[in-house]
Amino acid sequence: MRGMTRDSLAELFDRKILWVFAVLTVFAMLGAAASRSLNARMRSSGADWQTVKGEVMSIAMNSLDAFVALLVFLAVMASASAVPHMLERGRADYFLSKPISRKSLLLSKLSSTWVVYSAVVVLAGFLVFGTISLIHELFDPRVFWLLGMAAVSMLVWLSITFAAGIFSGSTAMAIITAFMTWIVQTVLAGREGLKMFFNSDIADAIVDGLYYIFPKTSELSKLGLALALGESVDNWLPLWSSLLFGVGVMTVALVYFTRKDY
Amino acid sequence: MNVIEVTDLTKIYDSGLRKGNVIALNKVSLQIQAGEIFGLLGPNGAGKTTLFKILLGIVRATSGESTMNGLPPSNPESRAKVGYLPENHRFPNHLTGLGLLESTGRLYGIPQAELDIRFDRLLHLVDMEKWADTKIRKYSKGMAQRIGLAQALIADPDILMLDEPTDGIDPVGKVEIREILLKLRSMGKTVIVNSHLLSEVEQAADRVAILSKGQVVRMGEVSELTSRQSQFEIEAEIGDHLFELDEAMGKVRLISSDRMTVELQDEKDINYVIDQLRFKKISIRSVKPVKITLEQSFFEAVRGKQEPVI
């Protein structure tokens, strides 16, 4: 990646974003530590250890899922400026004059940003889960399903903000595009209600089509949670359709990027 | 050997429906040889930076061809041994000076061990050793230019492209940069300087191209551009001697009793002038071509006194 990972890490330190993640993680760890009395209370109610363990794990995973979702959101917002920043006047010349193809440059930037932020999110999530594990004397390696899905979700969001950054050259537009995509995917998640509202075969086809095209990161999160809790999963559509969407927008963005004058 | 070849290069920017098209470069052709310092001059908007950007693959040409080291700009390898200092650069300001060199070196794919050897030499060359660990955002304009020059040299380039390299640099720094350029030439490097500072270019460049409105209006060695090939200044004991030429041959202008200028239609006729002076037994002390500054040549060129050479 031609040193871009180190560069992204240096930028993360410089912009003090890392401190935000660190502070949130410490608070989450303190919250986890404060849950010490939870299993004692549950056991005092007469529940057996397996039931208590199951309940605590469920609460822990759901809490961790919400915490990781917050970190992914912050990471996406924080990295929305990566491409507009790289391509602003005077800086684009610096990057584009190097003996590296534009495709490699952009993919290196995307992958390095993803690696750095994913590592931060996974580490933060693992620290919080590690605290829970220590407090409640339980550990389940399936937590990595949850953290892994969060990393995949972040890759999809980064693809969207990177593509928007390339087309618009604006951080604000990259953030707005991410928000708009999130709103559309949330609306499409409740597509049955939409179909009832329109009550038309054509509308049904359009809504279904959009549902399959758009990413489904909320459902991806649920998928990760289910896997972390050891539940069986039959529908992998959220995973591959989200990834396909990310690949699709990045492909279009790459074609545009390789042809644009700077 | 030509390291840069540009043939009929044209760039037309589409400025939108209302403003129409802007012709930044219009059938520009030039060749730059290995080991020379080539000055690219022209007023703002002449197309100098666009030419740099096309060569570097930052902007795509509308038509025409260009190569660097025999490779087209679409091939990233064409930039493998090229260093570039952009005008109004904004290097990633979360980096220190040393960090910029390291980051740039990695973009060129240079191994860390090799980079470690080059850092000290380059920082010393641009006199930035003291500020190597300071963030770029804290640099003055001159310091940013110096570190920019160092990053342009990190890959030990064969071709160095500098867009306004002395911008923001104090007079001492300008002299130092000129010395660096001359040193690089002595090392066999090709240096292309895009500058508004004509006196700087005049002192350092071997050849110069003057661009105006996207066209090369004058190109040649600095000595060619600063001499009026058909004008000579003659120092001689003219005294009261009357000295005239046929109108077809040229004009004589007496400046004083011992100095005159002759403007000839054909510079070879200077021999005839000398013969005539000798015939009149006028003692000749010197005959030299009339020199102008590059600035004068530049203004003549951009004000349209000379037709484009393309």
Side-chain angles (χ1 to χ4, degrees):
Chain A
M1 286 192 271
R2 301 256 179 148
M4 285 220 166
T5 306
R6 209 188 299 185
D7 196 49
S8 295
L9 198 59
E11 194 170 4
L12 189 70
F13 273 103
D14 184 70
R15 292 171 63 194
K16 300 177 180 66
I17 295 162
L18 205 58
W19 289 109
V20 176
F21 286 96
V23 168
L24 285 173
T25 305
V26 168
F27 273 114
M29 287 166 77
L30 289 173
S35 70
R36 192 185 182 96
S37 59
L38 185 65
N39 50 357
R41 270 189 281 135
M42 289 180 83
R43 291 188 79 171
S44 67
S45 67
D48 64 274
W49 170 237
Q50 280 303 321
T51 309
V52 172
K53 188 183 170 188
E55 282 296 314
V56 171
M57 185 62 85
S58 175
I59 293 168
M61 290 294 188
N62 275 289
S63 306
L64 188 66
D65 184 46
F67 173 66
V68 166
L70 172 67
L71 294 191
V72 168
F73 169 78
L74 290 176
V76 171
M77 294 300 110
S79 60
S81 64
V83 167
H85 203 58
M86 183 173 84
L87 299 177
E88 66 188 32
R89 200 175 171 82
R91 194 165 289 149
D93 298 16
Y94 165 73
F95 283 106
L96 299 177
S97 63
K98 302 296 176 278
I100 174 170
S101 70
R102 291 191 182 192
K103 190 176 80 178
S104 301
L105 183 71
L106 189 62
L107 291 178
S108 296
K109 187 73 180 169
L110 174 71
S111 49
S112 63
T113 307
W114 178 65
V115 164
V116 167
Y117 280 98
S118 290
V120 170
V121 170
V122 169
L123 180 67
F126 189 72
L127 283 173
V128 173
F129 188 72
T131 309
I132 294 170
S133 300
L134 283 173
I135 297 292
H136 299 287
E137 295 174 359
L138 51 88
F139 180 78
D140 192 336
R142 285 179 297 195
V143 69
F144 286 108
W145 276 115
L146 194 150
L147 298 175
M149 287 299 170
V152 171
S153 176
M154 188 150 65
L155 181 61
V156 175
W157 284 117
L158 286 181
S159 303
I160 294 165
T161 55
F162 268 54
I166 285 163
F167 285 115
S168 67
S170 153
T171 303
M173 281 303 291
I175 291 172
I176 288 169
T177 305
F179 264 115
M180 294 301 288
T181 309
W182 181 76
I183 289 168
V184 172
Q185 75 160 13
T186 306
V187 170
L188 289 171
R191 66 188 188 288
E192 295 308 324
L194 270 180
K195 285 181 189 173
M196 283 171 66
F197 178 76
F198 289 117
N199 196 23
S200 146
D201 289 343
I202 296 168
D204 286 2
I206 292 171
V207 168
D208 279 337
L210 287 174
Y211 174 75
Y212 287 112
I213 291 169
F214 266 76
K216 300 156 193 66
T217 52
S218 302
E219 291 177 51
L220 202 58
S221 173
K222 285 177 191 162
L223 186 70
L225 185 62
L227 289 165
L229 290 169
E231 295 166 8
S232 63
V233 171
D234 301 325
N235 183 12
W236 292 87
L237 175 73
L239 178 63
W240 63 257
S241 64
S242 297
L243 281 172
L244 271 180
F245 184 84
V247 170
V249 292
M250 273 310 287
T251 304
V252 177
L254 272 169
V255 170
Y256 179 77
F257 182 53
T258 50
R259 292 167 182 216
K260 187 170 164 44
D261 291 342
Y262 286 93
Chain B
M1 187 187 78
N2 292 332
V3 289
I4 290 179
E5 295 209 28
V6 173
T7 311
D8 290 337
L9 205 64
T10 297
K11 177 64 190 177
I12 301 170
Y13 286 109
D14 182 3
S15 297
L17 289 173
R18 287 185 182 177
K19 290 182 182 173
N21 293 336
V22 174
I23 302 172
L25 290 176
N26 188 1
K27 290 187 177 293
V28 168
S29 296
L30 53 86
Q31 291 83 37
I32 298 173
Q33 292 158 7
E36 70 174 337
I37 298 181
F38 190 89
L40 205 53
L41 304 175
N44 290 334
K48 308 183 298 289
T49 299
T50 299
L51 179 57
F52 266 26
K53 287 187 171 188
I54 289 175
L55 288 168
L56 290 162
I58 299 167
V59 165
R60 296 194 315 163
T62 306
S63 64
E65 288 179 4
S66 66
T67 60
M68 276 204 297
N69 289 323
L71 297 170
S74 56
N75 185 342
E77 279 304 303
S78 68
R79 304 185 284 277
K81 295 298 275 178
V82 178
Y84 176 48
L85 173 65
E87 184 188 17
N88 299 324
H89 50 73
R90 294 184 68 187
F91 298 122
N93 58 12
H94 61 274
L95 297 173
T96 60
L98 187 62
L100 176 70
L101 297 189
E102 200 168 359
S103 187
T104 309
R106 285 197 297 259
L107 285 171
Y108 277 99
I110 302 167
Q112 188 64 41
E114 180 59 35
L115 285 176
D116 289 338
I117 296 167
R118 295 183 190 182
F119 291 151
D120 289 343
R121 186 169 50 82
L122 286 175
L123 289 168
H124 177 72
L125 183 73
V126 297
D127 195 19
M128 284 292 288
E129 293 139 304
K130 273 198 296 185
W131 308 102
D133 295 321
T134 304
K135 289 270 168 71
I136 289 173
R137 71 166 78 95
K138 292 182 180 171
Y139 283 178
S140 67
K141 184 80 202 288
M143 289 159 81
Q145 282 298 96
R146 285 166 186 271
I147 205 70
L149 183 59
Q151 68 80 32
L153 291 165
I154 193 75
D156 191 21
D158 295 332
I159 303 171
L160 190 62
M161 301 173 81
L162 309 174
D163 203 345
E164 301 292 348
T166 53
D167 194 16
I169 290 192
D170 59 46
V172 177
K174 283 176 186 169
V175 173
E176 286 171 3
I177 285 187
R178 195 166 65 229
E179 284 168 357
I180 292 170
L181 301 188
L182 294 172
K183 190 177 170 185
L184 290 168
R185 179 178 60 187
S186 71
M187 292 161 68
K189 313 283 187 193
T190 308
V191 183
I192 308 155
V193 185
N194 175 356
S195 179
H196 293 108
L197 295 171
L198 305 176
S199 59
E200 290 291 322
V201 174
E202 187 171 6
Q203 289 176 66
D206 300 304
R207 284 200 308 138
V208 166
I210 299 173
L211 280 172
S212 181
K213 295 175 184 169
Q215 291 186 310
V216 176
V217 289
R218 226 172 247 194
M219 183 161 61
E221 291 180 10
V222 173
S223 57
E224 287 171 18
L225 297 189
T226 55
S227 69
R228 295 193 192 281
Q229 291 186 341
S230 56
Q231 276 188 41
F232 296 87
E233 188 177 294
I234 301 173
E235 273 190 77
E237 304 279 338
I238 306 161
D240 298 330
H241 293 282
L242 191 63
F243 185 78
E244 283 180 352
L245 288 172
D246 288 347
E247 266 186 36
M249 188 176 282
K251 282 187 284 188
V252 173
R253 196 156 65 92
L254 203 61
I255 297 168
S256 65
S257 61
D258 62 352
R259 209 150 61 94
M260 65 179 185
T261 58
V262 286
E263 191 174 339
L264 303 166
Q265 296 295 326
D266 183 349
E267 63 178 341
K268 288 175 187 162
D269 286 337
I270 189 64
N271 293 317
Y272 172 79
V273 173
I274 292 168
D275 289 345
Q276 287 300 305
L277 288 169
R278 282 178 177 158
F279 181 73
K280 289 175 183 279
K281 303 210 185 301
I282 296 171
S283 170
I284 302 168
R285 282 201 294 276
S286 70
V287 179
K288 55 187 178 189
V290 171
K291 286 269 178 189
I292 57 168
T293 63
L294 189 58
E295 192 170 66
Q296 284 171 293
S297 180
F298 173 83
F299 280 116
E300 282 184 11
V302 299
R303 284 173 182 165
K305 288 191 177 178
Q306 188 160 318
E307 291 301 310
V309 296
I310 57 167

